[in-house]
PDB file of all heavy atoms in Angstrom:
ATOM      1  N   GLY A 222      95.291 104.941 195.941  1.00  0.00           N
ATOM      2  CA  GLY A 222      95.687 106.344 196.449  1.00  0.00           C
ATOM      3  C   GLY A 222      96.258 107.191 195.384  1.00  0.00           C
ATOM      4  O   GLY A 222      95.846 108.319 195.258  1.00  0.00           O
ATOM      5  N   THR A 223      97.057 106.635 194.553  1.00  0.00           N
ATOM      6  CA  THR A 223      97.617 107.444 193.414  1.00  0.00           C
ATOM      7  C   THR A 223      96.520 107.835 192.327  1.00  0.00           C
ATOM      8  O   THR A 223      96.568 109.113 191.960  1.00  0.00           O
ATOM      9  CB  THR A 223      98.725 106.610 192.685  1.00  0.00           C
ATOM     10  OG1 THR A 223      99.690 106.280 193.562  1.00  0.00           O
ATOM     11  CG2 THR A 223      99.277 107.458 191.512  1.00  0.00           C
ATOM     12  N   THR A 224      95.643 106.990 192.137  1.00  0.00           N
ATOM     13  CA  THR A 224      94.427 107.332 191.205  1.00  0.00           C
ATOM     14  C   THR A 224      93.626 108.485 191.875  1.00  0.00           C
ATOM     15  O   THR A 224      93.313 109.378 191.048  1.00  0.00           O
ATOM     16  CB  THR A 224      93.621 106.150 190.939  1.00  0.00           C
ATOM     17  OG1 THR A 224      94.563 105.134 190.392  1.00  0.00           O
ATOM     18  CG2 THR A 224      92.554 106.506 189.961  1.00  0.00           C
ATOM     19  N   ILE A 225      93.234 108.467 193.205  1.00  0.00           N
ATOM     20  CA  ILE A 225      92.553 109.472 193.752  1.00  0.00           C
ATOM     21  C   ILE A 225      93.186 110.750 193.694  1.00  0.00           C
ATOM     22  O   ILE A 225      92.772 111.792 193.251  1.00  0.00           O
ATOM     23  CB  ILE A 225      92.210 109.062 195.220  1.00  0.00           C
ATOM     24  CG1 ILE A 225      91.338 107.833 195.141  1.00  0.00           C
ATOM     25  CG2 ILE A 225      91.464 110.143 195.820  1.00  0.00           C
ATOM     26  CD1 ILE A 225      90.971 107.309 196.480  1.00  0.00           C
ATOM     27  N   ILE A 226      94.528 110.665 193.962  1.00  0.00           N
ATOM     28  CA  ILE A 226      95.428 111.900 194.070  1.00  0.00           C
ATOM     29  C   ILE A 226      95.461 112.493 192.660  1.00  0.00           C
ATOM     30  O   ILE A 226      95.391 113.662 192.407  1.00  0.00           O
ATOM     31  CB  ILE A 226      96.764 111.702 194.698  1.00  0.00           C
ATOM     32  CG1 ILE A 226      96.563 111.416 196.183  1.00  0.00           C
ATOM     33  CG2 ILE A 226      97.711 112.803 194.420  1.00  0.00           C
ATOM     34  CD1 ILE A 226      97.837 110.797 196.809  1.00  0.00           C
ATOM     35  N   ALA A 227      95.699 111.682 191.627  1.00  0.00           N
ATOM     36  CA  ALA A 227      95.852 112.054 190.329  1.00  0.00           C
ATOM     37  C   ALA A 227      94.622 112.704 189.794  1.00  0.00           C
ATOM     38  O   ALA A 227      94.689 113.655 189.032  1.00  0.00           O
ATOM     39  CB  ALA A 227      96.206 110.892 189.374  1.00  0.00           C
ATOM     40  N   PHE A 228      93.452 112.176 190.134  1.00  0.00           N
ATOM     41  CA  PHE A 228      92.204 112.665 189.716  1.00  0.00           C
ATOM     42  C   PHE A 228      92.116 114.192 190.340  1.00  0.00           C
ATOM     43  O   PHE A 228      91.566 115.066 189.672  1.00  0.00           O
ATOM     44  CB  PHE A 228      90.994 111.845 190.139  1.00  0.00           C
ATOM     45  CG  PHE A 228      89.729 112.269 189.610  1.00  0.00           C
ATOM     46  CD1 PHE A 228      89.195 112.272 188.491  1.00  0.00           C
ATOM     47  CD2 PHE A 228      88.901 112.865 190.773  1.00  0.00           C
ATOM     48  CE1 PHE A 228      88.046 112.813 188.080  1.00  0.00           C
ATOM     49  CE2 PHE A 228      87.631 113.324 190.378  1.00  0.00           C
ATOM     50  CZ  PHE A 228      87.166 113.297 188.982  1.00  0.00           C
ATOM     51  N   ILE A 229      92.360 114.216 191.714  1.00  0.00           N
ATOM     52  CA  ILE A 229      92.077 115.596 192.341  1.00  0.00           C
ATOM     53  C   ILE A 229      93.081 116.641 191.632  1.00  0.00           C
ATOM     54  O   ILE A 229      92.719 117.795 191.301  1.00  0.00           O
ATOM     55  CB  ILE A 229      92.325 115.412 193.763  1.00  0.00           C
ATOM     56  CG1 ILE A 229      91.241 114.605 194.419  1.00  0.00           C
ATOM     57  CG2 ILE A 229      92.283 116.857 194.474  1.00  0.00           C
ATOM     58  CD1 ILE A 229      91.543 114.343 195.881  1.00  0.00           C
ATOM     59  N   ASP A 230      94.313 116.209 191.468  1.00  0.00           N
ATOM     60  CA  ASP A 230      95.292 117.066 190.717  1.00  0.00           C
ATOM     61  C   ASP A 230      94.912 117.511 189.422  1.00  0.00           C
ATOM     62  O   ASP A 230      94.926 118.629 189.159  1.00  0.00           O
ATOM     63  CB  ASP A 230      96.846 116.431 190.768  1.00  0.00           C
ATOM     64  CG  ASP A 230      97.335 116.283 192.002  1.00  0.00           C
ATOM     65  OD1 ASP A 230      96.817 116.781 193.094  1.00  0.00           O
ATOM     66  OD2 ASP A 230      98.387 115.577 192.087  1.00  0.00           O
ATOM     67  N   ALA A 231      94.350 116.506 188.619  1.00  0.00           N
ATOM     68  CA  ALA A 231      94.024 116.851 187.306  1.00  0.00           C
ATOM     69  C   ALA A 231      92.779 117.790 187.245  1.00  0.00           C
ATOM     70  O   ALA A 231      92.810 118.797 186.481  1.00  0.00           O
ATOM     71  CB  ALA A 231      93.629 115.592 186.466  1.00  0.00           C
ATOM     72  N   VAL A 232      91.897 117.567 188.091  1.00  0.00           N
ATOM     73  CA  VAL A 232      90.702 118.469 188.145  1.00  0.00           C
ATOM     74  C   VAL A 232      91.056 119.879 188.555  1.00  0.00           C
ATOM     75  O   VAL A 232      90.634 120.823 188.015  1.00  0.00           O
ATOM     76  CB  VAL A 232      89.668 117.835 189.083  1.00  0.00           C
ATOM     77  CG1 VAL A 232      88.481 118.857 189.386  1.00  0.00           C
ATOM     78  CG2 VAL A 232      88.982 116.647 188.603  1.00  0.00           C
ATOM     79  N   CYS A 233      91.926 119.925 189.611  1.00  0.00           N
ATOM     80  CA  CYS A 233      92.261 121.371 190.143  1.00  0.00           C
ATOM     81  C   CYS A 233      93.040 122.078 189.131  1.00  0.00           C
ATOM     82  O   CYS A 233      92.747 123.261 188.754  1.00  0.00           O
ATOM     83  CB  CYS A 233      93.073 121.218 191.347  1.00  0.00           C
ATOM     84  SG  CYS A 233      92.123 120.520 192.673  1.00  0.00           S
TER      85      CYS A 233
END
Side-chain angles (χ1 to χ4, degrees):
T223 302
T224 301
I225 295 174
I226 293 172
F228 179 77
I229 295 175
D230 288 354
V232 170
C233 293

